[in-house]
């Protein structure tokens, strides 16, 4: 077990306090009940919250092999699933969503996130990612409110759309990028079904206003491509790109 940052610093991190208390994290934390200041691999910290020696804050000797430039609990869960050892930092970047070239946009945003964190922690490999839903040449991100969530779902229902995720690894000033595409066909949904689904709150914070790993699964008719890409991180593409860049994702991974 490693603790890359003092508990006091964690309590002052910005932008991801809620993510630290997801059900998945609470389940992990149950193993450490009774400890005053438990710390977990994959915890989320704000890039502006840290001070002091960067090399001391994140150390491979302590177990973290890279930094995930994202606060997404879904991306953290996917990386934990494959045994990756990392810490998560939330970068403050302005994302590009011009809609004309969605593939270029997600790669640009993923790289911007990774580079932002790499500027602060140049001695560490950094992974950035950005996901968008594309339908009819138009890109959809996370809904701003319930009304927009209903609007997005009314466009997706009964049709096929594309999930695009841009990924970027930055290490020692060098960057490698890629993007994964998955085709998803939604079943028809009535307005009542859309309203009921939005009322669950699940669409909020999700690109395309749905979670394939959640309640929306009953409306997914077909998937062509990476399932983990729909969740938020194409694991095969991420690990393949890490090999290209010579980045090790877990301490005992001899294949990288």
């Amino acid at each position: 077990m490693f603790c890359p940052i003092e508990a006091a610093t964690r309590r002052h991190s910005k932008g991801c306090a809620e993510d630290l208390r997801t059900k998945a994290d609470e389940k992990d934390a149950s193993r450490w009940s009774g400890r005053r200041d438990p710390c977990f691999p994959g915890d989320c910290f704000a890039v502006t919250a840290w001070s002091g020696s960067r090399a001391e804050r994140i150390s491979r000797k302590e177990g973290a092999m890279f930094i995930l430039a994202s606060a997404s609990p879904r991306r953290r869960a996917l990386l934990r699933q494959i045994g990756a050892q990392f810490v998560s930092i939330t970068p403050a970047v302005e994302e590009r969503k011009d809609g004309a070239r969605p593939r270029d946009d997600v790669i640009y945003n993923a790289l911007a996130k990774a580079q932002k964190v790499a500027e602060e922690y140049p001695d560490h490999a950094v992974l950035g990612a950005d996901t968008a839903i594309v339908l009819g040449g138009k890109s959809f991100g996370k809904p701003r409110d319930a009304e927009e969530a209903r609007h997005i779902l009314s466009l997706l229902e009964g049709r096929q759309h594309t999930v695009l995720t841009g990924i970027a690894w930055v290490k020692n000033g060098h960057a490698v990028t890629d993007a994964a595409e998955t085709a998803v066909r939604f079943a028809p949904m009535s307005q009542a079904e859309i309203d009921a689904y939005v009322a669950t709150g699940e669409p909020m914070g999700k690109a395309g206003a749905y979670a394939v790993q959640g309640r929306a699964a009953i409306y997914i008719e077909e998937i062509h491509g990476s399932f983990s890409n729909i969740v938020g991180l194409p694991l095969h593409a991420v690990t393949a790109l890490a090999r290209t860049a010579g980045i090790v994702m877990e301490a005992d991974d001899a294949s990288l």
Side-chain angles (χ1 to χ4, degrees), residues 153 189 192-203 209-211 215-216 219:
L153 289 168
M189 297 177 70
E193 287 175 314
I194 291 174
D195 291 343
Y197 178 56
V198 172
T200 67
E202 186 175 88
Y210 74 92
R215 295 170 181 262
Y219 298 110

Side-chain angles (χ1 to χ4, degrees), residues 3-250:
C3 186
I5 297 187
E6 295 89 349
T9 303
R10 181 184 299 107
R11 286 194 292 268
H12 289 86
S13 63
K14 302 176 182 178
C16 53
E18 293 182 0
D19 282 338
L20 287 175
R21 293 295 176 260
T22 62
K23 291 183 179 179
D25 288 332
E26 289 171 358
K27 184 177 180 180
D28 290 341
S30 65
R31 296 183 294 114
W32 301 90
S33 59
R35 291 185 59 178
R36 181 177 180 183
D37 288 310
C39 51
F40 310 98
D43 271 359
C44 173
F45 307 100
V47 72
T48 57
W50 296 10
S51 60
S53 171
R54 297 185 178 94
E56 292 176 358
R57 300 295 180 177
I58 305 176
S59 171
R60 287 184 178 177
K61 292 181 180 179
E62 294 174 318
M65 305 305 293
F66 66 95
I67 303 172
L68 171 65
S70 173
S72 168
R74 294 166 295 283
R75 290 181 180 137
R76 299 206 310 273
L78 286 168
L79 288 171
R80 289 175 184 145
Q81 174 185 316
I82 62 172
Q85 294 169 272
F86 65 99
V87 292
S88 180
I89 297 176
T90 309
V93 299
E94 185 174 346
E95 297 185 7
R96 187 177 76 182
K97 300 288 185 183
D98 62 23
R101 293 172 300 200
R103 182 184 175 88
D104 291 346
D105 286 347
V106 293
I107 292 176
Y108 174 91
N109 293 332
L111 182 58
K113 294 174 184 178
Q115 288 179 329
K116 179 66 175 180
V117 174
E119 288 174 0
E120 298 292 327
Y121 305 94
D123 296 329
H124 298 80
V126 182
L127 172 63
D130 186 63
T131 301
I133 304 299
V134 182
L135 176 66
K138 185 175 181 180
S139 178
F140 299 92
K142 301 172 184 177
R144 292 185 294 269
D145 50 36
E147 181 178 356
E148 185 174 21
R150 286 190 289 269
H151 173 67
I152 293 174
L153 289 168
S154 70
L155 296 175
L156 298 182
E157 65 91 11
R159 303 175 69 182
Q160 179 172 297
H161 64 270
T162 300
V163 179
L164 273 173
T165 299
I167 54 175
W169 280 104
V170 175
K171 179 183 179 183
N172 297 329
H174 300 287
V176 289
T177 62
D178 197 3
E181 298 185 22
T182 303
V184 181
R185 177 170 291 280
F186 245 83
M189 297 177 70
S190 67
Q191 188 59 52
E193 287 175 314
I194 291 174
D195 291 343
Y197 178 56
V198 172
T200 67
E202 186 175 88
M204 308 312 298
K206 315 292 193 309
Y210 74 92
V212 67
Q213 75 279 19
R215 295 170 181 262
I218 64 174
Y219 298 110
I220 305 302
E221 289 186 337
E222 297 179 19
I223 294 174
H224 299 279
S226 167
F227 175 83
S228 63
N229 181 40
I230 311 172
V231 180
L233 196 65
L235 293 176
H236 174 74
V238 166
T239 55
L241 200 61
R243 291 188 183 96
T244 298
I247 295 169
V248 177
M249 298 179 66
E250 56 177 309

